[in-house]
């Protein structure tokens, strides 16, 4: 079958990227963060590929954890957003998921439970992110209350999240690390601070568990570095095909709004991918696209189903030729920069219209 627009998930990159996490954090256990459909790569596919290599998983929502258990995942699974209603405790218990406890309403729900050791939990401390978590002055009180809570397994575990760890010069991360250590020094449970940027840039953030997300997918958490430069291998590549090659004269505009006009006579390639597939609408003219081993610039507006590129007058490219939008030598970090976004949104944004193929090192049949 000829595929027009498809992503390839290079599953053999997973072991390599986990090894890179181990190299950076040799003493920590790895909690693989696979929320949001494993950052758009496919929850079950990525979970099974990671299973032999990591000690635990983290997801955002209870339903994501349930899906993992139903897929046969046996490691510990942390639910980063925890729960908001008592009815959710049933699934958390049945599927042995470990919610984060970050606010008073969750505490009240736990206190109303009478079943002993119902749940293992992670107490989330707000050390400066100001999103989820208990404030410093609340921590000892929350600890006392949770310690008396029969439904909660002891010892309690603790986590916090960094606001600016991707900025290697921002001392805020050091302040967050110091505060977390201070607040949890007397408590015996397991502790976790670092996301990918924390793992790579802030050694002091490596406690019992590190929470690796974006780097497992071969992508850099830093805006000035690519995953390849960090020794990572991209897990996803995105591909399509030329569906037309057209001549335009100097001064003619291409696409919606006449945003781009050709300075000279050239050949325009039309590629079957657009924002309806997850290619970013805000990619600027000049964004590189890989065709037949060479880079050509995107020109004009990204439409729903198509983009246009300037192939150059001498191009021999033809309809049917395959095109790489990111991955395979064209860093997704570059595409994110040209689109004023971060690579996280690009991988999460690939839509269900795009076929997903798996590669395990052998050639995939595209
Ligand atoms: C998403 C997330 C992570 C992983 O972050 P990356 O930057 O992808 O490594 C870790 N911890 C929490 C709380 C998160 O929400």
């Amino acid at each position: 079958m000829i595929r027009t627009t498809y992503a390839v998930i290079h599953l053999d990159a997973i072991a390599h990227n986990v090894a890179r996490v181990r190299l950076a954090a040799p003493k920590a256990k790895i909690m693989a963060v696979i929320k949001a459909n494993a950052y758009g790569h496919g929850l079950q596919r990525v979970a099974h590929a990671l299973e032999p290599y990591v000690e635990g998983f983290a997801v955002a929502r209870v339903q994501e954890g349930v899906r993992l258990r139903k897929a046969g995942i046996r490691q510990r699974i942390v639910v980063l957003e925890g729960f908001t209603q008592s009815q959710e405790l049933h699934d958390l218990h049945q599927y042995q998921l470990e919610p984060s406890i970050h606010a008073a309403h969750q505490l009240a729900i736990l206190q109303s439970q009478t079943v002993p050791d119902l749940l293992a939990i992670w107490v989330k401390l707000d050390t400066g992110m100001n999103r989820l978590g208990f404030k410093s002055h609340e921590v000892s009180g929350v600890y006392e209350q949770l310690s008396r809570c029969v439904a909660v397994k002891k010892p309690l575990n603790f986590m916090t999240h960094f606001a600016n760890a991707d900025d290697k010069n921002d001392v805020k991360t050091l302040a967050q690390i110091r505060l977390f250590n201070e607040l949890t020094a007397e408590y015996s449970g397991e502790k976790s601070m670092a996301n990918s940027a924390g793992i790579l840039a802030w050694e002091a953030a490596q406690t019992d568990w590190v929470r690796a997300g974006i780097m497992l997918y071969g992508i850099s958490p830093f805006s000035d570095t690519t995953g390849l430069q960090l020794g990572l291998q991209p897990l996803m590549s995105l591909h399509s095909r030329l569906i037309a090659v057209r001549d335009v004269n100097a001064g003619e505009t291409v696409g919606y709004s006449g945003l781009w006009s050709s300075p000279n006579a050239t050949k325009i390639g039309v590629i079957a991918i657009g924002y309806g597939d997850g290619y970013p609408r805000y990619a600027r003219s000049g964004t590189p696209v890989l065709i037949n081993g060479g880079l050509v610039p995107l020109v004009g507006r990204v439409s729903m189903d198509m983009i246009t590129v300037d192939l150059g007058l001498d191009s021999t490219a033809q309809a049917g030729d395959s095109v790489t939008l990111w991955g395979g030598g064209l860093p997704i970090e570059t595409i994110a920069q040209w689109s004023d976004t971060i690579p996280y949104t690009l991988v999460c944004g690939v839509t269900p219209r795009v076929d997903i193929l798996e590669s395990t090192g052998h050639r995939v049949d595209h």
Side-chain angles (χ1 to χ4, degrees):
M1 174 181 173
I2 293 284
R3 309 217 179 235
T4 307
T5 305
Y6 56 93
V8 180
I9 307 299
H10 304 267
L11 286 173
D12 44 327
I14 287 220
H16 175 91
N17 293 338
V18 176
R20 183 67 185 84
V21 179
R22 290 266 179 237
L23 187 70
K27 297 197 199 103
K29 286 182 264 191
I30 299 175
M31 194 185 287
V33 183
I34 55 173
K35 59 196 182 190
N37 197 29
Y39 292 42
H41 296 70
L43 182 73
Q44 296 191 18
R45 166 189 301 126
V46 170
H48 286 307
L50 281 164
E51 222 178 345
Y53 307 112
V54 300
E55 289 82 10
F57 289 96
V59 290
R61 316 258 165 84
V62 177
Q63 285 318 308
E64 293 174 322
V66 171
R67 278 180 61 197
L68 283 181
R69 284 283 182 249
K70 285 185 171 166
I73 295 295
R74 303 170 71 147
Q75 276 100 330
R76 291 172 67 179
I77 300 175
V78 176
V79 178
L80 295 169
E81 292 179 359
F83 59 87
T84 46
Q85 282 148 298
S86 60
Q87 295 92 308
E88 294 176 86
L89 294 192
H90 179 263
D91 276 349
L92 286 166
H93 171 65
Q94 181 177 349
Y95 295 102
Q96 289 295 297
L97 307 174
E98 306 182 16
S100 96
I101 303 300
H102 53 78
H105 64 270
Q106 296 177 299
L107 228 140
I109 291 170
L110 288 173
Q111 284 166 333
S112 69
Q113 304 298 314
T114 52
V115 180
D117 292 337
L118 190 70
L119 294 178
I121 63 164
W122 291 75
V123 186
K124 185 143 189 185
L125 308 187
D126 176 15
T127 55
M129 175 79 165
N130 260 315
R131 193 175 62 181
L132 293 181
F134 295 101
K135 301 263 192 200
S136 303
H137 70 270
E138 299 174 301
V139 174
S140 63
V142 166
Y143 180 82
E144 291 308 318
Q145 294 186 59
L146 284 170
S147 299
R148 284 196 300 270
C149 215
V150 290
V152 169
K153 283 188 186 155
K154 318 294 180 316
L156 309 174
N157 307 301
F158 295 88
M159 61 190 280
T160 194
H161 193 42
F162 297 132
N164 295 7
D166 56 327
D167 182 347
K168 294 170 210 160
N169 301 311
D170 191 337
V171 292
K172 183 183 176 105
T173 304
L174 286 179
Q176 288 196 259
I177 294 170
R178 210 172 299 128
L179 182 57
F180 183 78
N181 286 336
E182 215 175 279
L183 291 170
T184 60
E186 292 174 29
Y187 306 142
S188 61
E190 293 186 301
K191 290 156 199 171
S192 174
M193 283 192 264
N195 54 2
S196 296
I199 292 165
L200 291 166
W202 304 92
E203 208 181 333
Q206 294 169 15
T207 45
D208 302 308
W209 288 85
V210 291
R211 303 190 303 274
I214 199 76
M215 66 184 292
L216 292 175
Y217 307 97
I219 299 171
S220 169
F222 309 114
S223 62
D224 61 352
T225 318
T226 64
L228 289 170
Q229 287 168 331
L230 293 168
L232 298 166
Q233 291 174 2
L235 196 55
M236 180 194 289
S237 57
L238 182 65
H239 307 273
S240 185
R241 288 179 194 280
L242 276 174
I243 55 168
V245 176
R246 305 165 52 82
D247 297 318
V248 299
N249 297 318
E252 284 193 284
T253 64
V254 173
Y256 286 122
S257 313
L259 192 70
W260 183 84
S261 62
S262 185
N264 41 260
T266 190
K267 285 183 183 169
I268 294 294
V270 184
I271 298 165
I273 195 160
Y275 61 81
D277 304 287
Y279 193 83
R281 164 77 170 41
Y282 298 107
R284 293 191 296 274
S285 287
T287 304
V289 172
L290 188 58
I291 299 180
N292 299 334
L295 294 177
V296 294
L298 174 89
V299 294
R301 274 252 206 285
V302 171
S303 358
M304 186 185 288
D305 310 306
M306 287 172 263
I307 59 172
T308 39
V309 295
D310 184 356
L311 293 169
L313 205 51
D314 302 327
S315 174
T316 54
Q318 301 173 31
D321 285 359
S322 85
V323 173
T324 298
L325 288 312
W326 63 65
L330 177 51
I332 192 170
E333 292 87 350
T334 305
I335 308 305
Q337 291 227 317
W338 277 95
S339 314
D340 295 319
T341 186
I342 52 174
Y344 295 73
T345 69
L346 299 182
V347 282
C348 283
V350 173
T351 67
R353 176 163 74 172
V354 177
D355 285 336
I356 305 276
L357 311 182
E358 289 178 11
S359 155
T360 48
H362 315 292
R363 253 188 78 80
V364 279
D365 177 28
H366 353 131

